[in-house]
Amino acid sequence: MDQNRIEALRNTSVPPAHHLIDGTPCAASDGGVMPVISPLDGKQLTTMAKGTRQDADRAVAAARQAFDNGIWSGLAPAARKTVQLEWAALIEENALELAVLGVRNNGTEIGMALKAEPMSAAATIRYYAEAIDKLNGEIAPTAPGTLGLVHREPVGVVGAIVPWNFPLMIGAWKLGPALAAGCTVVLKPAETASLTLLRIAELALDAGLPPGVLNVVTGEGGTVGAAIAESMDVDVLAFTGSGGTGRKLLGAAARSNFKRVYLELGGKSPNIVFADTPDLDEAVKVTANGIFRNAGQVCIAGSRLLVERSIHDAFVEKLAAFTEGMKVGDPLDPVTASGAINSLPQLERNLAFVEDARASGATIVTGGARVLQETGGYYMAPTIVTGIAPKDAIAREEVFGPVLAVLPFDSEEEAVRLANDSEYGLAAAVWTADLSRAHRMVRAVRAGVVHVNTYGGSDLTVPLGGVKQSGNGHDKSLHAFDKFLDLKTAWIKL
Ligand code: ADP
């Protein structure tokens, strides 16, 4: 990373952000704007359009028209591939600028942001571009007098609603396969992380994506997001965010046109450490990074640590020592390990969880407080909480901050019981040297992904999706196409 360039970009002024509808930047229909506050210092970075329902409707109409006239869906897949490959290249060319802008907007550490945001978005867009002209339809094994062809067709207009923690990565998980499939998109970024998604949508136009194929409308979820969810012209919602919003989207689909709703929701993912873990120091380091990087604002964060009782105290002690060595603060400083909390309300929510736990007798082993308040930014010390019960809010609810809840267990059965005692089922990890136990645990723990002797760090080749109230459908891998490509049968009498 070029730190001089990062420092130069740190203070550049950011022009007011507009929607991108039908290929044209435009203001909100009523001229409304909202401030964009940087979590690095609590200061206003710029403003962005505060979208209205009319703006959302206009974007949907543009996407509908672009889909129906075949300007994109009617191209040969190889032609769409060419545009998307060029788009990925432009994102890579602008990666550092995008990463710094994103960090100033949402607070992720720059090293992680560069890899997980523009570089990962480019890789995702390229992956689906490269795949789309290699997916065949089917010829069904019918009787000789008939021919059953199964076509795969783009499903139509996609409403993509994404959160603030990794806007480019998660945005690309929707945009890459949706656009490659031939769908058109109305994208609603989060209130506190819209700037980089607007920028890559402009780059898509530069790469040759026709106007109207990708539209971005900024503003509040309850206005813009709700209008997209209720639209009669949106065919699919691809969402990542909270369960509360997921519930509203399902309701909106039911009240409107039964659009398909794919939800990637939260988690309270159990990270299960057995006494026979092959490398305790590695487990400590990966456990800390698995909850405290990006200040815990990671959907798959390992926020529930289950440790076999015989090593509980020693493990927690090592973990606290490692955690206290993690630098908290300015996410544009390359040595920072845990950056800013995205917004003041989110910081206050994190602290409230810790205070509740403290009030009910929990031990705050380390952290537990706001730090660096003098910077004006939103920072919290990585926090480890022990002495809690499985029923406590801090052990059950998704905090979405740098807060780790620790529970001991005595047996494999108890570990499974505790792990599955959650309304969520997004991710999990098992640390053990016993191969048979590892496989038993992978089967027994209800989660979309179970890591073994590691946490996180998977790539595009494998699907990510939740079970239980962590959602449905899958991002990443070829399976992501299932959301955006419909099956159509041609039944032909010969
Ligand atoms: P998070 O806790 O990650 O902020 P949210 O579900 O609140 O989760 O936000 C995720 C995305 O959903 C954001 O883009 C937000 O604007 C949008 N959103 C919030 N409320 C609604 C709603 N009622 N309808 C549609 N989208 C919404």
Side-chain angles (χ1 to χ4, degrees), residues 161-164 188-191 219-222 225-226 229 239-242 245 248-249 400:
I161 302 179
V162 298
W164 43 259
K188 156 72 181 82
E191 290 83 333
E220 290 177 344
F239 174 72
T240 299
S242 66
T245 303
K248 288 182 191 161
L249 299 185
F400 219 63

Side-chain angles (χ1 to χ4, degrees), residues 86 88-97:
E86 175 62 17
L90 289 178
I91 292 172
E92 271 177 359
E93 269 172 39
N94 290 277
L96 195 62
E97 284 76 3

Side-chain angles (χ1 to χ4, degrees), residues 17-19 26-33 48-52 55 58 218:
H18 301 293
H19 306 313
C26 53
S29 61
D30 62 1
V33 295
M48 64 181 196
K50 186 174 181 185
T52 60
D55 297 334
R58 209 156 65 75
T218 60

Side-chain angles (χ1 to χ4, degrees), residues 72 80-88 125 128-129 175-176 179-180:
W72 182 244
R80 293 199 296 271
K81 173 171 81 172
T82 305
V83 173
Q84 284 197 205
L85 290 180
E86 175 62 17
W87 185 23
I125 288 161
Y128 291 103
L175 298 178
L179 293 172

